[in-house]
Structures are given as structure tokens and as C-alpha cells.
Amino acid sequence: KLQFLYFIGNHYLRSMEVGRAVNVDHLISEHALHQEESKIYLPLLYGNSEELTSLDLENSHVTDVAVGSLCDALRENTKVHTIDLRNNLIGAEGCHTLASLLEVNTSIRSLLLSGNDLTDTGCRSLLSALELNSSLLHIEIDSCLLVSKSLITALKVMVQLNSVPSLLKKNILSIRDNTLRVVDLSHENSDFRDTEKSSQKLSCWAAERISEALIHNKTVEVLRLCNQQIGDKGACALSEMLKQNEKLDNINLFGNVITATGVEAFIDCINSNNTIRVINVKANCASDSVLFELEKKLSLNCQPLYLKKFLPKIADDDPDVCSLTLDEHNSCRYYDDVSLRLLAEAVSKNTQLTSLDLSNNVITDVGARFLSDALKENTGIKALNLNNNKLGGRGAKHLAAALKVNKTLVVLKLMNTHLDDAGGEALASAAVSNTTLTQLDLSFNPGIKESGDHFVKAVQHTNQLKDLILRGTSVSSVTLRALRDCR
């Protein structure tokens, strides 16, 4: 206090020239600075003295009333950057007053409030004020027993956001308010580069704060953080967020020095997430094999939940899954060639699944090729239904190749699958060498016409194919009569 009085004594007269009349009775409580000190102190603050930049009022018995007068004097002050109010008698009301000050003051950089009687209510008003404040860089609220640790952490985080590009803080607040659908914090974003800290790249700390805001967000679908420096730690924070977030669909992390550790964290989190479809981790530091595993996991996430539910069971050869039907009725959407690729990988080594119904989907010859590869190895499936798909002649050829190797398939249904004579001929040839197929349904494939003769020969040379259905094809009546005679 002696040093303080020595300082203000030298500046008293000059400060009074620009000072304003104030009610000094309420500046400091009777237990703190004397009235004579206050009469000099207030004009210095109102006078915006260039040499009065720090207020040290630690252990001065400052009350809420005193804080009110102090804040009145500081509202238009632009020189004071540090306020030390540690170990005083400030409560909720004083907090509200300080919050009002922070909403308008742009010079205060450090605010020390440890050891006061602060409450959660007062600190929440500070937190709200910090959403509008962009100048405070340090806050200290330790040893305040009535304030929750989570609120103290939130205040410190909000202050830390003032030291990074303002666009980050703006987006985090908008994420919390559920007002954004796309969050673009890529380094190339013009809004990001126009900020006063445009050369500063976002770190793992920024990724952690974004993740905290996104955990319970209900609106953001796209997150772009290209060419920042979030690294593995930031990637792990985002992966943990994905275990709880139910909205995010697309994350772009191009060029973020992420290694296999970060990518593997994303692979792991997809087991608990049903919405993420795209995670772009190109131009990072992970190997192609790890990136391929991530792509496979994401492909599964793009599929209906019904398929995602059963694929692990099929891959594990679960004896409880002996029959599986995949159509639009159990998923509200069609299964496609990507679905078949994932399913084929699981089916190839399975021995428990005996019936697979894939009718009424949009499977093409590409999906048929995946399925053909699986059937060449599979030893369990006895009935396969592909009715009402778009296999075409090439799809039929893929399945024919599988029939020449497979030793378990008994029933194959290919009704209305856009087959032609080339496909029909391939199937007829495969039926000759196959020893288990008893039923082949090719009905309502008008493209099958001349290949009917090949089926006559197939039936003549095999004993097991008892039920060949060609209703709705273009096969001649003569050929159909010949097939009946063979039976």
C-alpha cells in the first residue's frame, strides 16, 4: 500500500484534471484502503492514467459493494490490464458486476479471483460474459470452495479460446447452441485466414475443445479441419466424441500429421457409432493398410443397421444365425453391391448360415462377383435367393463359375434378374458339373431364349436338377416339351 500511495501521490494532480466526480464512499470497504486513498485512486482510473496498468488489491477485504464502484471506474478505462482481487470478500453479486464489466471492457487481460466467496451462480454470469469478451487471457478462480470444478474448468477454457483465432471460439459457441450444420476450420478457409491470428494453426488442444462441444450437438453434419496440426492426440479426442455423437456424418482431416495411432482410434470408435460415413485422413502419416481398414469400417457404417448387426455374427460363425433375409422390409432401404462385398467377406468362411435371401434389392453383376467368390469357399449355404435384382448376363456368369466349384448349394433362385442367353448358357454348363443343385428358378427372364436347348442337355446329363423353372422366359414351347420329357 505504501508503494501504491507513493505512486498515486505523484500522479494525483494530473489525474484530477481529467477525473470525474464519483461516489468514493462505496469504492472500498472500511476495512480496506482509507478514504484519502480512495479519493486519489478513483480519479486515476477515470482519468485513464497510462502508468496505472495493474491493480493489486489482494487481501484488502474488498466486498461486492466495493467491486461495484471499482467496475464503474473501469468501464471506460483502457490502460488497466491486470486486476488482482484474490483473498477478499467477493460473492455472487460481485461476480455479476465483474461479468458486466467484461462485456464492455477490452483492455483487461488478467483477472485473479482466487480465495473469494464466489458461487456457481456468479461464475455462470462470468462464463456468459466471456462469450462476448475476446481480450481476457488469464483467469484464476482456485480455492473457491462454493464453485464446482467443472465450472472452473469451463471458465479457463473460455479464456483460453481468446488466445486462438476468433473463428474457433465463434464456431465452438455456435456448436454448443446447435446453430450450425457445417463447421469449416480448415487452414484454407478464407474466414479463418482473415483473422488476426491467421498464421497460427490449430493444435490438439483446439481439437479437444471442438470435440467437447460436439459430444451432445444435434445439428453439425460436416466438420472440416484440413491442414491444421491436431495430430494423434486431437484425432483420439475426435474419436472419443464420435462414440457419443449421433449426428456427424463427414469429417475431413486432410493433412494433420496423424499416424496409425490416430487412425486406429477412429477404426475402434466406429463400433459405437452408426452415423459417421466419411473420415478423410489422406495426406497424413498412416500406412495404406491402416487406411484400408478404416475405409472398410466406414463402408460398413454406410450400410443399414440390420446388416451391421449381423455381419460380426456371420464372421464369427455364430450358430444362432442359420438364416438371413436382407431386403428393404427390414432396413427401409435396398442393399447394393457394397453391401454384397461386406457380406461376401463374412460369408466365405461361415459354416452355420444355410439360407440367404437377397431378393428385391439393387444388386448388379458386381455384387454377383463378390458373392461368387464367397460361394467358392463357403460350405454352409444351401439356399440362395437373388430374385428381383439386376444381375444381367455377366452376373449369371459369375454365379455359374461358383456353381462349378461349390458342393453345398441346393436351391438357386434367379427370377427376374435380367438374364440373357449368354448367362443362361453359362448356368446350364455349370449345372452339368455341379452335383448338389436340385432347383434352379430362372422365371421371368425374357432374355433367355436360345439357351433353352443347353438346359435340355444339362438335364439329360445330370440326375439331381429336378426343378428347373423357365416360366416367363422366351424359351420355345418345343424346348419346354423336351425338358418335360427329360424329367
Side-chain angles (χ1 to χ4, degrees):
K1 289 182 182 179
L2 289 176
Q3 292 177 339
F4 177 72
L5 287 172
Y6 178 79
F7 166 75
I8 60 178
N10 290 331
H11 297 276
Y12 174 66
L13 293 177
R14 180 167 59 86
S15 301
M16 284 298 290
E17 293 176 0
V18 293
R20 292 158 49 186
V22 295
N23 181 4
V24 298
D25 294 333
H26 299 294
L27 173 62
I28 305 293
S29 69
E30 61 181 358
H31 301 291
L33 298 177
H34 297 295
Q35 289 293 328
E36 286 75 13
E37 301 170 26
S38 303
K39 292 175 181 178
I40 303 173
Y41 181 68
L42 275 176
L44 285 173
L45 294 177
Y46 276 109
N48 214 15
S49 171
E50 294 184 358
E51 296 188 40
L52 183 56
T53 59
S54 178
L55 300 181
D56 184 359
L57 295 173
E58 183 181 3
N59 294 309
S60 297
H61 301 279
V62 178
T63 65
D64 290 342
V65 174
V67 169
S69 297
L70 181 65
C71 289
D72 286 341
L74 285 168
R75 289 185 73 83
E76 297 181 10
N77 184 284
T78 60
K79 306 304 180 184
V80 173
H81 57 68
T82 300
I83 302 176
D84 187 348
L85 292 169
R86 289 176 292 179
N87 302 314
N88 283 293
L89 305 173
I90 303 171
E93 185 180 344
C95 250
H96 291 311
T97 307
L98 287 167
S100 299
L101 173 66
L102 290 176
E103 290 179 0
V104 296
N105 185 286
T106 59
S107 63
I108 299 173
R109 299 289 184 267
S110 180
L111 179 60
L112 311 181
L113 294 171
S114 295
N116 281 284
D117 299 325
L118 308 184
T119 63
D120 279 359
T121 303
C123 286
R124 286 193 189 95
S125 62
L126 281 176
L127 189 61
S128 298
L130 287 173
E131 294 182 5
L132 304 174
N133 180 287
S134 59
S135 57
L136 191 69
L137 301 178
H138 176 68
I139 190 168
E140 186 179 302
I141 314 183
D142 301 317
S143 303
C144 295
L145 302 179
L146 300 179
V147 182
S148 63
K149 291 183 179 180
S150 60
L151 190 52
I152 292 175
T153 300
L155 282 165
K156 290 182 177 180
V157 167
M158 190 64 71
V159 169
Q160 286 175 304
L161 287 174
N162 283 340
S163 62
V164 297
S166 57
L167 186 63
L168 172 61
K169 181 176 180 179
K170 176 183 176 182
N171 274 268
I172 286 179
L173 294 177
S174 297
I175 292 171
R176 291 176 177 175
D177 292 339
N178 288 289
T179 58
L180 291 179
R181 190 185 69 82
V182 177
V183 175
D184 189 354
L185 289 168
S186 298
H187 200 254
E188 294 75 16
N189 182 357
S190 58
D191 290 337
F192 182 89
R193 297 192 64 82
D194 286 344
T195 63
E196 68 280 5
K197 306 179 182 72
S198 60
S199 62
Q200 180 180 352
K201 289 195 173 186
L202 302 183
S203 64
C204 62
W205 181 88
E208 290 169 347
R209 303 293 79 77
I210 294 169
S211 299
E212 291 169 358
L214 282 169
I215 285 178
H216 301 296
N217 177 273
K218 303 297 182 184
T219 60
V220 176
E221 298 176 1
V222 180
L223 172 63
R224 301 189 187 110
L225 286 170
C226 301
N227 294 309
Q228 300 289 0
Q229 293 179 342
I230 71 168
D232 287 337
K233 191 173 180 181
C236 288
L238 289 169
S239 69
E240 287 299 313
M241 172 271 298
L242 285 175
K243 293 179 180 179
Q244 299 183 63
N245 181 281
E246 298 177 350
K247 187 65 177 180
L248 205 56
D249 175 84
N250 186 311
I251 299 179
N252 193 342
L253 299 176
F254 183 96
N256 268 281
V257 293
I258 299 171
T259 70
T261 301
V263 177
E264 287 168 355
F266 282 122
I267 293 173
D268 178 66
C269 82
I270 294 174
N271 293 327
S272 305
N273 181 289
N274 295 318
T275 60
I276 191 70
R277 302 289 187 267
V278 178
I279 301 178
N280 181 5
V281 285
K282 294 179 180 179
N284 280 284
C285 307
S287 65
D288 290 341
S289 59
V290 178
L291 295 178
F292 179 71
E293 286 300 316
L294 176 61
E295 183 181 351
K296 282 177 58 179
K297 279 281 191 178
L298 289 170
S299 296
L300 177 58
N301 240 27
C302 293
Q303 299 302 315
L305 288 177
Y306 189 80
L307 178 60
K308 186 177 179 180
K309 171 186 175 182
F310 278 99
L311 274 183
K313 295 181 178 181
I314 296 172
D316 293 340
D317 215 9
D318 190 335
D320 292 332
V321 184
C322 58
S323 177
L324 182 64
T325 298
L326 298 177
D327 59 24
E328 79 279 12
H329 299 300
N330 57 38
S331 63
C332 299
R333 58 168 285 188
Y334 294 105
Y335 293 86
D336 55 16
D337 295 331
V338 177
S339 310
L340 260 290
R341 177 173 67 83
L342 297 168
L343 179 62
E345 291 176 0
V347 162
S348 60
K349 303 297 182 181
N350 183 281
T351 61
Q352 304 296 326
L353 186 66
T354 59
S355 176
L356 179 59
D357 187 347
L358 298 170
S359 59
N360 304 306
N361 285 297
V362 289
I363 301 168
T364 71
D365 60 288
V366 176
R369 177 169 58 83
F370 294 135
L371 192 55
S372 172
D373 293 339
L375 289 173
K376 291 175 182 177
E377 298 184 52
N378 180 272
T379 59
I381 295 178
K382 295 181 179 180
L384 176 61
N385 186 348
L386 287 167
N387 290 346
N388 301 312
N389 278 286
K390 301 177 180 180
L391 306 182
R394 286 186 295 182
K397 289 181 180 180
H398 290 312
L399 293 173
L403 285 176
K404 292 181 179 180
V405 179
N406 184 276
K407 304 299 181 183
T408 57
L409 196 63
V410 177
V411 177
L412 177 59
K413 297 182 178 181
L414 299 174
M415 179 182 72
N416 187 30
T417 50
H418 302 256
L419 303 189
D420 56 17
D421 274 331
E425 183 177 344
L427 287 169
S429 175
V432 174
S433 58
N434 184 278
T435 59
T436 59
L437 193 65
T438 63
Q439 183 185 53
L440 179 59
D441 186 354
L442 301 176
S443 56
F444 299 102
N445 281 291
I448 294 179
K449 182 178 181 180
E450 302 300 332
S451 57
D453 294 334
H454 294 278
F455 282 108
V456 173
K457 295 177 182 178
V459 172
Q460 290 174 340
H461 287 83
T462 182
N463 294 321
Q464 81 282 349
L465 187 57
K466 305 296 183 181
D467 193 6
L468 176 63
I469 306 171
L470 293 173
R471 182 177 66 257
T473 65
S474 301
V475 175
S476 67
S477 56
V478 175
T479 303
L480 291 175
R481 243 188 335 265
L483 283 171
R484 283 196 296 271
D485 293 341
C486 292
R487 294 168 189 165

